[in-house]
Amino acid sequence: STVAGLELFAGGTALDGLEIPSHRWFQAVLTDVEYNARYTTEIHVANTSNFQGAVNVELHDSSGNLVGSVFTTTLAAKGRFAARVQEMFPGVSQPFLGYALIKADHDMAAAEVLSSPAEIAVLGGQPLGSTATALTLYAAHFETGKGALGSRLTLVNPTTQAANVTVQALDVNGAPIGAPAPIALSPGQQSQTDIGTLLGVQATALT
């Protein structure tokens, strides 16, 4: 039978959830790695296979440049590791914004925990390689213009070819909001933008 799952992470007043993936991959991208005076990022990788395997983690800045040396570790069957980005890559300096590519010998699951003393955001790894064939991505919800609440869109082009992306927002009835926004991504480039600003949505509009 089919099973779906969600795990909750909590600390103090901070709370976030992570969808438990139904598939495993050999390669994944963690799209939002930050290290600055407020936030740090902890990377988690689990070997879901029945065999010992190597895991390589590449850290890239927003332009796609490799930062430091590739972090390599070996995981036992069903083993896992977790470490903060500054521990895995001692040469990384603040402020840092970029992403991580994870490559393994066997099936794995990966996630990142972006945290500050009062906040937490848990983001699952997204598959790369032959399992990543979708050309259209859907985000089920975003908000803008509601006080402290807002939505930030992060895109990563982890390939060696340029990518042209069009972002279109829809309201609860399926009608377009704002104007479609084109984003050109060079090979390896990351883009991070407030959605309200990107789409030209008025600050009073809640979507």
Side-chain angles (χ1 to χ4, degrees), residues 16-95:
D16 199 11
L18 175 67
E19 179 184 354
I20 298 175
S22 58
H23 297 85
R24 275 72 56 193
W25 326 287
F26 283 69
Q27 300 179 60
V29 57
L30 300 175
T31 57
D32 186 9
V33 176
E34 299 184 33
Y35 175 50
N36 52 49
R38 182 174 183 178
Y39 294 108
T40 187
T41 304
E42 190 173 74
I43 293 176
H44 294 248
V45 180
N47 177 6
T48 62
S49 77
N50 294 319
F51 306 94
Q52 176 179 290
V55 175
N56 295 326
V57 183
E58 299 178 2
L59 184 65
H60 294 257
D61 65 20
S62 294
S63 297
N65 300 309
L66 187 65
V67 178
S69 301
V70 177
F71 177 87
T72 300
T73 189
T74 299
L75 296 181
K78 307 299 183 183
R80 60 175 293 273
F81 85 90
R84 293 181 297 177
V85 63
Q86 65 268 32
E87 298 166 345
M88 299 170 65
F89 303 93
V92 66
S93 58
Q94 299 184 8

Side-chain angles (χ1 to χ4, degrees), residues 142-147 149-151 171 177-178 194-197 199-207:
F142 83 92
E143 295 190 17
T144 184
K146 189 180 180 182
L149 288 181
S151 300
D171 65 17
I177 300 173
D194 174 80
I195 292 182
T197 302
L199 298 174
V201 177
Q202 295 296 322
T204 55
L206 174 63
T207 58

Side-chain angles (χ1 to χ4, degrees), residues 112-132:
E112 60 177 302
V113 180
L114 182 65
S115 64
S116 74
E119 301 164 291
I120 187 172
V122 187
L123 309 173
Q126 299 188 33
L128 296 176
S130 59
T131 58

